[in-house]
Amino acid sequence: IDLIMMDTYMRRMNGSEATNRIRQFNTKVVIIIVTAFPLSEITEEFAGVVFDDYLPKPFSKFNINQLIMKHFKSKFQFI
């Protein structure tokens, strides 16, 4: 797995707890927080949580493509 798009609010476990658990065994996977809340509102909940980027809802294919290119640009470069 190279990329996880993590919602901040889920039924059984919130995004910050899930991200922390994933980081215990995988520090290289790119985790993008996806939320309808502004980044300033989730900053406290995600304090100390290591995530790679933030994607506000609603988002477009263009927004997703930009983040993928940002984090995986080297994988898309051709010889």
Side-chain angles (χ1 to χ4, degrees):
I1 296 175
D2 295 317
L3 171 67
I4 296 173
M5 297 184 71
M6 180 69 69
D7 201 330
T8 53
Y9 296 104
M10 300 177 288
R11 283 184 174 192
R12 296 183 181 183
M13 182 184 309
N14 66 30
S16 62
E17 184 180 348
T19 300
N20 278 331
R21 287 189 182 191
I22 291 167
R23 289 294 186 216
Q24 289 175 3
F25 64 89
N26 189 334
T27 58
K28 294 184 183 199
V29 65
V30 173
I31 299 178
I32 298 174
I33 300 301
V34 181
T35 183
F37 295 97
L39 185 59
S40 60
E41 288 188 28
I42 66 162
T43 302
E44 185 176 316
E45 178 186 344
F46 278 80
V49 177
V50 179
F51 62 93
D52 299 285
D53 227 316
Y54 161 79
L55 181 63
K57 292 179 188 177
F59 53 84
S60 67
K61 289 179 188 177
F62 178 77
N63 300 129
I64 295 171
N65 285 336
Q66 280 186 312
L67 286 175
I68 289 172
M69 290 305 293
K70 176 181 174 181
H71 292 283
F72 300 102
K73 188 165 71 171
S74 64
K75 290 189 177 194
F76 292 106
Q77 292 178 349
F78 300 103
I79 299 174

